[in-house]
Amino acid sequence: MDNFQIILIILSVATALCGIMMAVSRNPISVALSLLGVLLFTAGIYGLMAEHLVATLQLVVYAGAVMVLFIFSIMLLNLNVELKGPKIASPLTWGCALLVSGTIFLALVKSFVHFLASPEVGYSLGQSSESQQDAMNGQTYGLAVELFAKHYIAFELMGVALLIAIIGAVVLAKRKID
Amino acid sequence: MDSPLLVTQTLAAFLFCMGLFMVLYRKNTMIMLMAIELMLNSANLSLVSFSHHYGLLEGQVQVFFVITLAAAESAIGISLLLNLYRNLGSVYTDKLSHLKG
């Protein structure tokens, strides 16, 4: 157990606790803040794995922009007041949801444990991370080469998708449907 | 146990199933949108940890695209919810039963 493992386990337990908080709390604001905790601790895990660019993107785009959008719209819709009547689903719905998600969790863990036991885990598809980063003048350079030289069509399509999303959001939020 | 793969993949599976559980049982559509964000985030965690394990950058390119699409998706979803709230006065799924039966 070196320092890396200890910090990783602390961050993972904190992330899982925030996820559980998200599932059990009733107030939308506390759900949003728990989601913010999940995103921040996940960014911590990315930083621990030395994937600094992804950690920064996670902080700026997810924990910054998207969460501000969510909290602002919770404030705008005034969802913070508790409405009358039961807002928790019936035990049947609850049990079915638990059954489905639990089954999928067990299937994922089983397939992953099966994968870890197989011999191709140790087989490295590329070079080791550090030497690759040294050869590429750091990770951001390598990611830029991947994005703008190999996946440029997908990158441009993503720009078109963002434009369509902006126009759609403005048109949808502006007028009332009669 | 020398690689963070086991811990991060288990955490990603746990977060994904927590998000799925919330999408299935919550009644507030705003919270359901947040649960979808949680599921996307757990998929990102899985991609980044495999990309770190194999020393490849392909997974991080996918993470870049997923983050972009998640931002677009939440903007569209929230504007749809605003419209819903203005037309029906509620964002709870038990009020949205006009197409039932």
Side-chain angles (χ1 to χ4, degrees), chain A residues 5 23 25 51 58 132 172-173, chain B residues 1 25-26 55 60 83 86:
Chain A
Q5 293 283 340
S25 59
E51 316 287 357
Q58 172 98 357
Q132 191 186 27
L172 279 173
Chain B
M1 260 312 257
Y25 99 103
R26 286 281 186 179
Q60 299 193 26
N83 236 324
R86 274 194 299 208

Side-chain angles (χ1 to χ4, degrees), chain B residues 12-60:
Chain B
F14 177 76
L15 287 181
F16 184 86
C17 293
M18 204 50 100
L20 181 66
F21 176 63
M22 284 173 68
V23 169
L24 288 176
Y25 99 103
R26 286 281 186 179
K27 289 194 168 185
N28 190 335
T29 39
M30 181 68 78
I31 295 180
M32 287 160 83
L33 268 183
M34 286 189 226
I36 292 173
E37 295 291 326
L38 181 67
M39 288 163 80
L40 288 169
N41 184 58
S42 72
N44 279 350
L45 180 61
S46 175
L47 282 170
V48 170
S49 77
F50 269 119
S51 151
H52 175 79
H53 179 75
Y54 284 122
L56 287 174
L57 286 172
E58 296 275 340
Q60 299 193 26

Side-chain angles (χ1 to χ4, degrees), chain A residues 124-148:
Chain A
S124 184
L125 295 171
Q127 297 163 304
S128 72
S129 216
E130 286 81 14
S131 63
Q132 191 186 27
Q133 284 178 26
D134 287 343
M136 282 185 160
N137 296 323
Q139 195 191 21
T140 312
Y141 182 83
L143 197 56
V145 168
E146 285 277 331
L147 263 182
F148 299 121

